[in-house]
Structure formats: structure tokens, C-alpha cells
């Protein structure tokens, strides 16, 4: 399998996550799901875990990590989390939509100032954190926008750094560089 040749795993964005994976039935506002796709993500994650590879989850990937570690999701933020603002931006992919507060001592804290702007293309979000995971960044409405594992090399961001690359700012690239460095270091 291809993953046996990789030094790390990025779980990308995608459709909604099957709520059966965290013990819930479908909320009326749940979007498109594809269980095969979820299972592929989970299988890849399990191989990466077996091989102790660093993992970075982006948007859906970030949410799936939480589910894989036993956490839960808001199936639809707008109808399930009071006071949540709109996290499905109408602007361009590389536009900023809301700010996040980076937690001190998190994996992002040496890359970014305490507050920074991100893009936002999700109507689902982490509700209860999975085992061993902690929040690394939060939006002002309380939505968890980044996570990390307390012991494992497992990281997640709710925004899309790869879509911000066209801004030609160091900001988006910094996160990717850090992950690649983490993979290289882990290999040695
Ligand atoms: Mn957001």
C-alpha cells in the first residue's frame, strides 16, 4: 500500500462525516455523507498510527481525527450550537472569514500570534474532544478550530491552509512546513 512509503499522513477536507461513527442519528441539516470515504480515512489513519507516522487533519480530516479518538461533532453548527456564527464563508477560498485565538504552548503558538484570521468552509465542528486530544485554537464563538494530541504526533486544523497558499504569505506555508519538518524528524 502507498502509505507504507509515506513519512506522514494528511487527511484532507471533504463531505460531512457519517454520524453513526460517533453514535448519533442523522440530523435534518446533515449534509452529504459517504461512508466509504470515511472508512478510507479511518483505515489510512490506523495504518499511520501503527507506523507511528505524524498525521495532519484539515477540515473534515480534523473532524475525523476527533471522531477516531472517541469524540463527537456538531452535525450542523448553525442549528446545534447557540451563538455560533456562520462558518461557511461566501468569500473566495483564500479570503479570511473569522479570527481564531491560538492557545499558548500549543503546536501553533510558535508559528502564529495569539490572534489571527483564517478561512472557514465547514458547517460541522468538534463538540466533545476525543481521548488525548486538546484544543489548540478557538474561534470567538467557542468553536474548536485546531487540535493536537497530548502524546502522539497528531494535529488538526479546521481551516484550509492549502487554500490560503495563493495569498503568498508565509503564514499558510508555516503550518505545512512545520508538519513536514515533524515528519522528517520522526523518520530519523
Ligand atoms: Mn471556522
Amino acid at each position: 500500500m502507498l502509505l507504507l512509503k509515506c513519512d506522514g499522513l494528511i487527511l484532507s477536507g471533504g463531505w460531512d462525516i457519517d454520524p453513526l461513527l460517533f453514535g448519533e442519528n442523522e440530523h435534518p441539516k446533515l449534509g452529504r455523507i459517504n461512508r466509504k470515504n470515511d472508512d478510507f480515512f479511518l483505515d489510512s489513519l490506523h495504518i499511520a498510527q501503527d507506523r507511528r507516522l505524524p498525521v495532519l487533519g484539515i477540515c473534515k480530516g480534523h473532524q475525523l481525527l476527533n471522531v477516531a479518538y472517541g469524540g463527537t461533532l456538531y452535525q450542523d453548527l448553525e442549528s446545534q450550537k447557540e451563538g455560533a456564527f456562520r462558518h461557511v464563508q461566501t468569500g473566495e477560498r483564500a479570503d479570511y472569514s473569522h479570527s481564531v485565538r491560538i492557545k499558548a504552548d500549543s503546536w501553533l503558538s510558535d508559528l502564529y500570534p495569539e490572534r489571527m484570521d483564517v478561512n472557514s468552509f465547514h458547517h460541522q465542528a468538534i463538540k466533545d474532544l476525543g481521548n488525548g486530544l486538546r484544543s489548540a485554537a478557538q474561534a470567538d464563538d467557542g468553536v474548536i478550530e485546531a487540535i493536537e494530541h497530548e502524546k502522539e504526533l497528531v494535529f488538526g486544523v479546521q481551516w484550509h491552509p492549502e487554500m490560503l497558499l495563493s495569498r503568498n504569505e508565509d503564514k499558510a506555508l508555516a503550518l505545512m512546513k512545520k508538519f513536514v519538518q515533524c515528519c522528517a524528524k520522526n523518520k530519523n
Side-chain angles (χ1 to χ4, degrees):
M1 190 184 178
L2 197 59
L3 198 50
L4 298 176
K5 294 182 178 177
C6 297
D7 300 323
L9 172 68
I10 291 181
L11 295 172
S12 70
W15 296 310
D16 283 0
I17 292 175
D18 186 341
L20 285 175
L21 286 169
F22 49 96
E24 290 185 12
N25 298 305
E26 294 193 12
H27 185 276
K29 291 282 177 68
L30 177 73
R32 183 179 178 184
I33 57 170
N34 182 313
R35 182 57 183 259
K36 245 187 191 170
N37 178 254
D38 294 347
D39 287 341
F40 175 71
F41 272 38
L42 287 168
D43 289 346
S44 306
L45 175 64
H46 293 147
I47 294 169
Q49 285 172 325
D50 281 349
R51 298 194 56 221
R52 302 199 186 287
L53 298 178
V55 181
L56 172 64
I58 293 174
C59 197
K60 173 185 176 145
H62 152 93
Q63 296 166 2
L64 188 110
L65 282 173
N66 190 56
V67 170
Y69 283 85
T72 61
L73 303 178
Y74 292 109
Q75 293 187 45
D76 180 65
L77 265 180
E78 201 182 314
S79 49
Q80 293 188 307
K81 182 168 167 57
E82 216 187 310
F85 42 70
R86 186 167 65 182
H87 283 263
V88 186
Q89 73 184 60
T90 53
E92 297 293 313
R93 292 183 155 210
D95 284 350
Y96 294 134
S97 170
H98 64 75
S99 64
V100 293
R101 192 176 286 277
I102 309 284
K103 297 255 167 85
D105 301 324
S106 72
W107 68 286
L108 297 169
S109 63
D110 60 338
L111 300 177
Y112 302 125
E114 194 193 337
R115 180 173 279 280
M116 71 158 183
D117 295 335
V118 297
N119 55 8
S120 195
F121 292 94
H122 60 108
H123 81 115
Q124 301 203 302
I126 289 175
K127 189 155 82 179
D128 300 310
L129 277 164
N131 300 319
L133 296 174
R134 62 181 170 218
S135 167
Q138 242 168 325
D140 288 340
D141 57 2
V143 168
I144 294 170
E145 289 271 337
I147 53 168
E148 65 189 317
H149 195 278
E150 284 163 7
K151 294 191 186 95
E152 299 166 27
L153 298 172
V154 169
F155 314 95
V157 284
Q158 182 59 76
W159 64 91
H160 282 273
E162 80 285 7
M163 291 179 187
L164 295 169
L165 288 172
S166 62
R167 296 182 73 93
N168 290 317
E169 295 172 359
D170 292 339
K171 206 166 115 175
L173 205 55
L175 188 157
M176 301 303 225
K177 272 185 180 165
K178 181 165 179 143
F179 181 67
V180 170
Q181 279 162 6
C182 174
C183 294
K185 220 168 112 186
N186 185 60
K187 202 180 166 188
N188 296 329

